Amino acid sequence: EAMLEVRNLVKVYRGRRGVTTALDGASLEVGRGEFFGVVGASGAGKSTLVKCITLLERPTAGSIRLGGVELTGLRGRALRQQRRRIGLVFQHFHLLWSRTAAGNVALPLEIAGVPREQIRRRVAELLDWVGLADKAGAYPSQLSGGQKQRVAIARALATQPELLLCDEPTSALDAATSRAVLELLQRVHRELGITVLLITHQLELVEAACQRVAVMDAGRVVEAGPVEQVFRNP
Ligand code: ADP
Ligand code: ADP
């Protein structure tokens, strides 16, 4: 079965300034082991899609299945359990500034109740894997943007997710750093066999790394397929 299957997803926001349909029947399917891109202009609904997949927002209608498990409607323990299957990487890193690089990577393991000695070993291994073995004791304020994103990726991998969901992971980085972070994501895919979902407005990233891509516009997926097919000039 698919790693992620989104069907006819609808999200309507009702606020003081009226009603906004952020998702208007979006559908997409990501296979296990794929490196999949989602692109679209600002306002297309990408962030809303991410928030629904990560269960930060409840969709108004539609279905989201993660490895066959329906996510919409989950609550409490069941919701937390499914959430752990998804690793998250954000544009602005979302690191805790009061904790070292090691402390940030350790956090999800501490929350999961992993024994101390095991945490220490796993954190060292992860930091080594992302090329930051020598930065374990550094605070985020002492790290470059690219290094911060490496820490965030190590943290996202700590609990061994099946899907790594990256929301504009390089949008806050310069071109050279973006390429390095993208290469790290490609290693996640290739060496760890983790399914990667890359949401971005940067088409060149998708062209460089993704196997398939979905194009969003006005709350829908208007086109999806192999990158070379979707990006082929008409
Ligand atoms: P993208 O990430 O592709 O830029 P978004 O998902 O952020 O798109 O936005 C899709 C549409 O939904 C936009 O019109 C946006 O203004 C609207 N929207 C997003 N979040 C909210 C919200 N919390 N309340 C009201 N409207 C929202
Ligand atoms: P912080 O001050 O950022 O909270 P701590 O020193 O309390 O960091 O460490 C938090 C966790 O990170 C600890 O549980 C430890 O297992 C792990 N950790 C800290 N430093 C290292 C290190 N150099 N190598 C591996 N793991 C480390």
Side-chain angles (χ1 to χ4, degrees), residues 98-104 106 110 116 119-121 123-124 127 136-137 139:
S98 61
R99 299 200 95 185
T100 59
N104 272 281
E110 290 170 9
R116 284 174 75 96
I119 293 181
R120 212 190 45 74
R121 263 187 284 121
V123 168
L127 285 174
Y139 288 88

Side-chain angles (χ1 to χ4, degrees), residues 118-141:
Q118 218 170 306
I119 293 181
R120 212 190 45 74
R121 263 187 284 121
R122 179 99 181 109
V123 168
E125 172 189 288
L126 283 159
L127 285 174
D128 187 45
W129 197 80
V130 301
L132 289 177
D134 57 336
K135 296 290 181 188
Y139 288 88
S141 60

